[in-house]
Amino acid sequence: MKNNYTFIFILLAFQTAITAQNYKQRFNEIDVKHYNLTIEVNDTTNSIQAKMIVSLKFKQLVNEFQLDFVEKDSTGKGMSIESVFQNNDTVSYTHIDNKITIQPNFVNTDSLFNFEIKYNGVAKDGLIIGENLHGDRTFFADNWPNRAHNWFPCVDHPSDKATVEYIVKAPNHYQVIANGYLFEETNLSNNLNLSHYKTIVPLPTKVMVIGIARFSVQHIGETHNIPVSTWVYPQTKEQGFYDFTNSKNILNFFIEKFGEYPYQKLANVQSTTQFGGMENAGAIFYFEKIVTGAQNHEDTIAHEIVHQWFGNSASEIDWPHIWLSEGFANYFTSLYILETKGEGAFQQRIKEERETVLNFYKKKQTPVIDTENTNLMSLLNANSYEKGAWVLHMLRKKLGDETFWKGIRSYYEKFKLNNASTNDFKNVMAEVSGENLDTFFTQWLQKAGHPILKTSWLYNNNILRLIISQTQKTAFQFPLDVELIYTDGTSEIKTIEVTEIAIPFEIETKGEVKEIKFDPNTWLLFELVD
Ligand SMILES: [Zn+2]
């Protein structure tokens, strides 16, 4: 996702902390295979009427298990359960603390069990019903990170993926978009339409989505047999269609880089999402004001398209590893910019990102893999995005382009439609390159900070004496490019391996050095101090 920083602080208040413990326990008990959601919306109230059939397998014999589901409270918002069935029989359950606890009638570890939950209510969050910027009524899901269980019962964590289908009944002046392919459309009585979407591959709940609104829809063609479409508000459809024209080329670029696209379609959707962009699987939602008619959000489109592979298909196993989504989306967007706009535009982006990382560190000294942080919204920070991107940039330099890309493709192939930890990623890159990457991954991802260098140098008789002191708490190991600029106007770059807190180097030179520059080609995340 791309942050829309204006809204992010308002949101923090709504977030509930999650304990990793809870999810690990649940992961060992149940595995959701499929969600089948029938949902009816209307124009007179914000209340939904719904039926969810959760198909799951038990991994062990349990007396009870839990699904996340926000219950109705004194505000009048939240969901009220009407009935719960297990394979057509009634079953005991409770609905408290935003969990349904079900005591199944019968359990084994072989069969698939269907639990049918009928409910109604006004979603507290997650399914946003309101007016768009033109004053039209809209219904947009916005699940990240764990807001899906405001509007349907589920295991609301990226580690339990499932296929999903939605049978949406809505007034017939709306069009309906969702993940997957359109399986059925029917005109019902009472001016209602039924739209039935299905996915054929499992998704994490964070990127499950439906959108119901007045739309103009343009089908802009296919690439690698993937249909690409644009869904924008009718009032500004010319601008909107124009803004997303390039999305087919961007999709094509990344299919050729990463391998097969994981979903049945790519729809780019104007919406009321609180994020700048939200990478919902195969149906990306963008903030309303992305439509300008000036195509000035190409980087956001690229970022969300990268997520279809990294984040949606190969997903982080748990929230502390979110850089595997956001760092990847940022960095591969930069590589798209490098290929389409050239070295100058690329350098500018990564320099700005480096500045963002250095500034963030002045406020918050936490590692990228932040296991202490339970406020999920605050994981949308410069560590996850910009520093994560920089880690990939330095890894590309360390391994070389060919090995780096081979590793990225292997990692995706191994973890597509599944979950990975940072260690899983490291192990693939180590195997492909034949290098030990432990120090690299530990220092850049598990420790806070970066090299903060004090330098001094002295030239004498074709020898440059250079002292590099690391002033931060723990020593980093890294290659440092030093550009020697000679009095005759020529220059050359020497690379030194910095491994200690303070170390002197002697560099042979071709002539008299008048100036030196560190990291002239922007390959190192560091800062220089006087
Ligand atoms: Zn993102």
Side-chain angles (χ1 to χ4, degrees), residues 208-441:
M208 291 181 182
V209 83
I210 62 169
I212 305 164
R214 291 184 65 218
F215 282 118
S216 284
V217 183
Q218 188 177 59
H219 300 279
I220 60 179
E222 293 190 350
T223 179
H224 296 261
N225 297 319
I226 304 299
V228 181
S229 58
T230 303
W231 297 58
V232 293
Y233 301 154
Q235 290 87 343
T236 49
K237 70 171 187 177
E238 283 83 8
Q239 294 93 318
F241 289 160
Y242 177 70
D243 285 330
F244 288 103
T245 312
N246 206 23
S247 57
K248 194 176 73 168
N249 298 332
I250 300 173
L251 177 64
N252 184 61
F253 175 85
F254 287 121
I255 289 174
E256 289 177 1
K257 288 287 182 196
F258 303 142
E260 198 182 353
Y261 178 75
Y263 306 117
Q264 287 74 60
K265 65 158 190 280
L266 173 64
N268 290 296
V269 184
Q270 185 179 15
S271 79
T272 60
T273 177
Q274 67 201 12
F275 304 109
M278 180 56 226
E279 63 267 21
N280 304 307
I284 300 169
F285 280 22
Y286 299 88
F287 75 127
E288 297 192 305
K289 291 181 177 168
I290 196 166
V291 170
T292 60
Q295 290 192 340
N296 42 13
H297 292 284
E298 197 185 25
D299 57 342
T300 301
I301 298 170
H303 178 108
E304 306 311 332
I305 291 177
V306 174
H307 272 312
Q308 305 304 310
W309 287 264
F310 300 106
N312 296 5
S313 174
S315 309
E316 60 277 359
I317 185 74
D318 203 355
W319 298 113
H321 303 273
I322 189 180
W323 81 278
L324 296 171
S325 289
E326 299 304 347
F328 278 56
N330 260 34
Y331 191 56
F332 291 113
T333 297
S334 293
L335 291 182
Y336 170 76
I337 303 275
L338 174 63
E339 196 127 324
T340 54
K341 302 232 162 53
E343 185 72 32
F346 173 75
Q347 288 275 330
Q348 192 191 332
R349 256 181 85 88
I350 58 171
K351 278 181 184 160
E352 282 168 10
E353 291 197 328
R354 183 165 64 187
E355 274 310 301
T356 305
V357 176
L358 303 186
N359 288 332
F360 181 73
Y361 179 73
K362 292 188 174 85
K363 286 175 277 178
K364 212 162 176 246
Q365 293 80 43
T366 49
V368 171
I369 301 171
D370 187 353
T371 51
E372 309 283 299
N373 193 344
T374 53
N375 184 327
L376 301 181
M377 279 291 170
S378 76
L379 288 173
L380 302 180
N381 61 35
N383 272 347
S384 305
Y385 287 76
E386 285 85 0
K387 190 172 177 186
W390 255 93
V391 169
L392 290 177
H393 184 55
M394 291 186 288
L395 188 61
R396 181 164 75 95
K397 168 77 157 129
K398 185 177 176 66
L399 304 183
D401 260 33
E402 199 184 322
T403 306
F404 174 78
W405 277 107
K406 196 175 163 206
I408 293 295
R409 279 190 288 267
S410 303
Y411 165 69
Y412 179 69
E413 187 58 32
K414 186 164 182 190
F415 292 99
K416 66 182 177 188
L417 306 176
N418 214 320
N419 295 85
S421 66
T422 303
N423 254 338
D424 291 327
F425 175 58
K426 180 189 76 178
N427 290 342
V428 170
M429 298 309 276
E431 194 183 321
V432 166
S433 65
E435 291 196 36
N436 183 330
L437 299 174
D438 292 353
T439 302
F440 180 92
F441 273 73

Side-chain angles (χ1 to χ4, degrees), residues 23 27 31 155 157-161 204 315-318 418-419:
Y23 280 99
F27 187 77
D31 177 13
V155 174
H157 191 269
S159 62
D160 192 351
K161 296 184 174 186
S315 309
E316 60 277 359
I317 185 74
D318 203 355
N418 214 320
N419 295 85

